[in-house]
Amino acid sequence: MVTSVFDTTCGRVRGRAPERGVVAVLGIPYAEPPFGSNRFRAPRPRRPWAGIRDCAGFGPVAPQSAELPGAPSWSPGDEDVLSLNVWTPVAAGGIPAGPLPVLVWIHGGAYTFGSGAQPDFDGTALALAGLVMVTFNYRLGFEGFGHVPAGGEDGPCPPNRGLLDQIAALKWVRENIAAFGGDPGNVTLAGQSAGATSAACLMTMDGARGLFGRAITHSPVGPCYSPELAGHLMEKVAAEAAVPATRAGLAAASPHALVRASDAVVDGYRHSPESGHLHWDPVIYGPVADGVQLRADPLAALAGGAAAEIDLLVCHATQEYWLLDAVSSAAKVTTEEQLARFAGDFELPGSLPEGYRTLMPDAPVGDVHLALYGDLAYGEYSSRLAETHARSGGRTFLSRFDRQRGEPHSVAYAWHCADVPFAFGNLAEESVRFLIGGAPTASDHHLSDRMTAAWAGFAATGEPGWEPLAVSGGPVRTWETTDTTRAPAPGHWSDSGAVRALWRSFRYQPLRP
């Protein structure tokens, strides 16, 4: 069977044989391994290789302890982790069909786990929709986002190294994607959760300027971290790893040791109700608004018109935090006292939990908490991101994912991550059954087709299929199916105006210790 060979700036690569008219070229290195003398530094350009590199399989993933269904897991010693994957439609003989719009995907995973090799991110369906699809790995956890103190003579250790990896991947796309049939002048950056916030950060960063013209952010989570919180968490991780909280001390700890220490710190916060906002769902890494590289949280930066030239498509789910509850990531709330403590730890106005109780009069306190937490982290932050960009002159589209199913043997929430396999067109993947609540229905497939078409249309022309936000708000596209019976949980977003009104007095600020 014919296999395609592509020329890149570092050498030639051979992908898989075409399937359904799409060639997948997997595990292409875009930077040097970020270990040894490159550890804790900005990504280094990849050295060229001789001959044809076989790229029929995914590359190693970044250091992490997670083992995700159907995806590679990390093993100590895996170092060549900065690689990317390309799916491109081809004509007879394996010739790329381009020039086509390019969609570059940043995976989520709390800046701690995940990869571009997850089966729900397979790019075949989007390639068939007329795009060249790219996913990639970037540094996670302490390697990518941990604070490294200044010191020594080995050169700077910048913050937000994971974001710098993402910029390096985008530069690779600019320099190489034409060989795969892509148009380097028509690139859309997309992501979900941590990947969505990463995309929003890159919209505002000087180093990413001109590398993409559109962005898709599904469930961006905010706000960013302050340098004070990053430093505080570094000290906790260093203590758990039994190394000095210095550059030399941290460099002496292996990547595996820092993964284990990070997991231990997370577990400690999870079991300590007195640890403030970090107790409720401890995520200890994320972009740091250092005032230089990332000058501010994306909300503040976009308000100043930092990315008005970039078209933006935002989506959030209506029951985001029900997933985090189902996988035991979030602390359980079973009493009104716990709900009040949660609100206090995040400095929420007292009117917020009271307002949610009014919107959800018959719901248990746990559901009120999940609704409030989901909107704090995702729903309200996403909506403000879209509205802020629109008010600052950016062309912006807003949507909500509200596909639910409440049959006795097939409960499906509109929760975090459930929208991703719909947009990627990957409902048939066995690994997504938990996310979407069982086997997909005909209506699910129809919804998936519409969401995939919206992404493809936006990436190609900036038109997802509905009107952009006006400065005064609206319209908002709601993604749902026609076979919803009873909702599995209270649907407070059925009155979105009332939900948004409750948040008017709340201001997002970078998270502090």
Side-chain angles (χ1 to χ4, degrees):
M1 185 175 288
V2 175
T3 57
S4 299
V5 175
F6 303 87
D7 292 319
T8 77
T9 52
C10 288
R12 308 186 79 193
V13 293
R14 178 189 294 113
R16 292 179 175 177
E19 293 185 19
R20 298 167 55 199
V22 174
V23 166
V25 192
L26 311 175
I28 308 171
Y30 68 86
E32 284 293 296
F35 298 102
S37 62
N38 294 332
R39 196 177 184 200
F40 301 148
R41 293 186 173 186
R44 300 289 179 88
R46 186 71 185 200
R47 292 191 296 268
W49 55 81
I52 299 175
R53 187 182 184 100
D54 182 27
C55 289
F58 293 109
V61 304
Q64 59 189 276
S65 58
E67 296 182 2
L68 303 177
S73 57
W74 179 73
S75 297
D78 288 347
E79 294 194 346
D80 203 358
V81 300
L82 299 183
S83 65
L84 53 76
N85 317 294
V86 180
W87 287 262
T88 184
V90 293
I95 306 300
L100 297 173
V102 181
L103 185 67
V104 180
W105 175 254
I106 307 177
H107 71 81
Y111 309 99
T112 305
F113 64 90
S115 74
Q118 293 169 228
D120 39 334
F121 305 152
D122 183 281
T124 300
L126 286 163
L128 291 172
L131 306 179
V132 174
M133 182 68 204
V134 180
T135 70
F136 63 92
N137 301 337
Y138 57 98
R139 278 174 284 184
L140 303 168
F142 197 94
E143 302 295 328
F145 294 93
H147 173 68
V148 179
E153 301 178 356
D154 296 327
C157 293
N160 301 313
R161 295 175 295 279
L163 298 183
L164 299 183
D165 292 344
Q166 296 165 13
I167 292 173
L170 285 167
K171 289 179 178 178
W172 184 97
V173 168
R174 181 185 60 189
E175 295 166 2
N176 293 282
I177 206 64
F180 297 81
D183 180 355
N186 191 6
V187 175
T188 296
L189 184 62
Q192 187 264 349
S193 194
T197 305
S198 295
C201 289
L202 265 57
M203 289 174 67
T204 73
M205 292 175 66
D206 292 340
R209 189 73 60 195
L211 296 177
F212 59 99
R214 302 185 183 99
I216 299 173
T217 61
H218 275 229
S219 301
V221 55
C224 289
Y225 289 11
S226 66
E228 294 82 3
L229 179 57
H232 171 76
L233 292 169
M234 177 273 295
E235 292 176 353
K236 299 278 287 187
V237 171
E240 193 65 46
V243 298
T246 62
R247 175 174 178 169
L250 293 162
S254 69
H256 188 216
L258 293 184
V259 168
R260 287 186 301 174
S262 299
D263 287 348
V265 170
V266 167
D267 192 60
Y269 281 128
R270 187 166 283 133
H271 288 89
S272 174
E274 306 301 325
S275 55
H277 65 83
L278 286 165
H279 165 65
W280 300 99
D281 189 4
V283 175
I284 65 171
Y285 298 115
V288 178
D290 66 336
V292 180
Q293 185 193 80
L294 181 61
R295 287 190 288 270
D297 185 86
L299 264 182
L302 292 182
E309 75 282 2
I310 297 176
D311 294 346
L312 177 62
L313 170 58
V314 179
C315 182
H316 72 86
T318 59
Q319 297 171 315
E320 295 272 9
Y321 242 88
W322 270 262
L323 173 70
L324 288 308
D325 178 65
V327 299
S328 299
S329 175
K332 296 284 186 183
V333 168
T334 58
T335 68
E336 295 291 345
E337 180 184 7
Q338 288 175 311
L339 182 62
R341 173 177 281 187
F342 164 82
D345 285 343
F346 282 96
E347 301 181 5
L348 302 181
S351 58
L352 267 169
E354 294 170 4
Y356 273 70
R357 169 55 71 198
T358 300
L359 287 175
M360 306 166 65
D362 301 320
V365 66
D367 281 354
V368 176
H369 166 250
L370 294 177
L372 181 59
Y373 204 173
D375 293 344
L376 169 66
Y378 303 104
E380 178 64 16
Y381 188 81
S382 297
S383 299
R384 288 196 191 186
L385 200 70
E387 292 165 352
T388 298
H389 192 53
R391 284 196 298 268
S392 300
R395 197 160 172 273
T396 312
F397 301 84
L398 178 59
S399 59
R400 296 189 179 107
F401 183 79
D402 195 35
R403 175 263 186 186
Q404 302 179 46
R405 194 164 62 216
E407 293 90 339
H409 302 294
S410 183
V411 173
Y413 293 90
W415 62 15
H416 198 57
C417 299
D419 49 334
V420 174
F422 281 86
F424 267 84
N426 288 332
L427 297 186
E429 288 287 346
E430 191 68 30
S431 62
V432 308
R433 293 294 174 88
F434 170 71
L435 285 179
I436 68 173
T441 66
S443 292
D444 287 333
H445 284 293
H446 179 57
L447 174 60
S448 178
D449 290 344
R450 289 187 287 133
M451 292 182 69
T452 300
W455 273 20
F458 181 74
T461 66
E463 298 291 345
W466 65 95
E467 292 298 311
L469 282 178
V471 172
S472 57
V476 179
R477 168 61 56 91
T478 299
W479 297 115
E480 56 191 347
T481 60
T482 56
D483 62 356
T484 299
T485 53
R486 60 180 178 82
H492 66 291
W493 273 99
S494 60
D495 190 352
S496 60
V499 173
R500 299 298 314 287
L502 294 174
W503 291 91
R504 281 180 186 150
S505 65
F506 180 73
R507 295 291 177 266
Y508 285 98
Q509 299 290 341
L511 293 173
R512 299 184 180 278

